[in-house]
Structure formats: C-alpha cells, structure tokens
Amino acid sequence: MPSKSPEQHKLMTAVAHNPDFAKKTGIPQKVGKEFVKADKNMKEGGLYANIAAKRERIAEGSGEKMRRVGSKGAPTAEAFRESAKTAKLKNGGPSLAIGRGEKLPAKQGAGLTAKGREKYNRETGSNLKAPQPEGGSRRDSFCARMEPVAEKSEKGSRSRASMQRWNCPGW
C-alpha cells in the first residue's frame, strides 16, 4: 500500500531503514519496507496518474475499490477541473492557423486574435487574455519572459513581432 501523505512516506522510510526507530514507533520494519516499495512503484503525477495507478493495482488484485463520485475521499469535480488546466496537451495543444483568423501573421504583430484566444481557452480550460500594450503587470511579465527568446530569434520572427505588439521597452 502506498503512503497517503508525504509525512507518512517519511515515517515509513525511517522505519524501513532504521530498526531502532521501527522498534521505538512500534511499526514492524517489514511494513515500512512494503510502504517504501509501494511508493517507488507509484508514478509521479497528478490526479489522473493516481487514478491510473490505482486501476493498475486493482487489476493486479490489491482488493482496493474505486470510490463513487461524491463519496468521502473521492476526487471532487473541482479537482478534475483544476487537473485539466495543468494536464499535458496532446500534440502540443489546439491547432491554430492564420488562415482561419485565429493567429495574426508576423507582419501584423503575431499573437492570437480574439477568435484564437476563445478557441484555445475552450479547448484547454485556460484563461488567456488580450495583449496589454498600454502597460501594466501582465505586459511587464510578458516582456520579461519573452525578451531572451526574442533576442535569440531572427528578424521578422513571431517572437520579435509579439514584443513590438505588446510595446515592450526597447522593441
């Protein structure tokens, strides 16, 4: 059985590696080793990785059961929404094209149009907003993140055009 919290993992690791500590806590060292082994077999990841790992354990005959939606300890609808925001996108995300009016060409400042932002937000659960060329914290953040990229790129590239569209200082 894998640990249910980082604290439990630390405790079981200490029990597995220190016989004196195991005796002091009253937890058999064998149990600590089983927990550590189960933790190593758990895949890193979020909600969906945990669900997949539990399904694998059930298929192997662990005796566990999947919890019903709404029951105590089951993931909530909010947890699924939050997880969807950070899930890795298949094939790099939604397909956006200049021809469909979802992106601007580099000559017009690059970046997404309102139609492109709407499509991206709908398909990924994100909340992209329009550029903030008049100034503000979003512009400052964008300029700071994009400057190293734009400096390495060629003239006429989308990254340089986006720096100009956002009115970044020095572009």
Side-chain angles (χ1 to χ4, degrees):
M1 171 179 220
S3 300
K4 294 190 177 187
S5 69
E7 292 80 14
Q8 186 181 28
H9 171 73
K10 288 178 186 177
L11 173 70
M12 292 302 174
T13 302
V15 167
H17 297 297
N18 188 337
D20 294 333
F21 185 73
K23 190 173 184 179
K24 184 178 178 182
T25 59
I27 301 170
Q29 198 170 16
K30 179 181 174 185
V31 173
K33 288 180 180 180
E34 288 175 7
F35 268 83
V36 170
K37 183 179 178 186
D39 289 346
K40 285 182 183 176
N41 292 336
M42 285 279 301
K43 292 183 177 130
E44 289 290 323
L47 177 64
Y48 290 104
N50 291 340
I51 291 170
K54 186 168 186 174
R55 285 184 177 152
E56 285 178 21
R57 292 193 309 271
I58 291 170
E60 292 171 0
S62 70
E64 296 175 87
K65 293 182 180 177
M66 296 299 284
R67 293 188 173 109
R68 296 212 181 269
V69 176
S71 67
K72 184 178 178 185
T76 62
E78 178 65 23
F80 280 103
R81 279 193 295 276
E82 289 299 313
S83 183
K85 290 180 182 178
T86 59
K88 291 183 180 175
L89 301 175
K90 294 179 182 176
N91 303 324
S95 172
L96 302 171
I98 294 171
R100 291 191 299 261
E102 298 159 344
K103 293 194 307 188
L104 293 173
K107 289 180 181 176
Q108 292 179 8
L112 298 178
T113 62
K115 181 180 176 181
R117 283 190 302 276
E118 183 181 319
K119 179 178 179 179
Y120 188 87
N121 290 341
R122 182 178 60 247
E123 293 187 18
T124 64
S126 297
N127 187 23
L128 294 181
K129 296 179 178 135
Q132 192 182 30
E134 64 280 351
S137 60
R138 282 184 42 241
R139 183 188 83 166
D140 296 342
S141 175
F142 175 82
C143 295
R145 286 180 283 122
M146 280 299 291
E147 189 168 17
V149 175
E151 285 176 351
K152 293 178 185 175
S153 62
E154 299 175 12
K155 289 186 178 181
S157 67
R158 295 184 64 79
S159 58
R160 286 178 176 247
S162 66
M163 294 288 282
Q164 292 172 346
R165 183 171 183 217
W166 279 72
N167 290 334
C168 291
W171 293 90

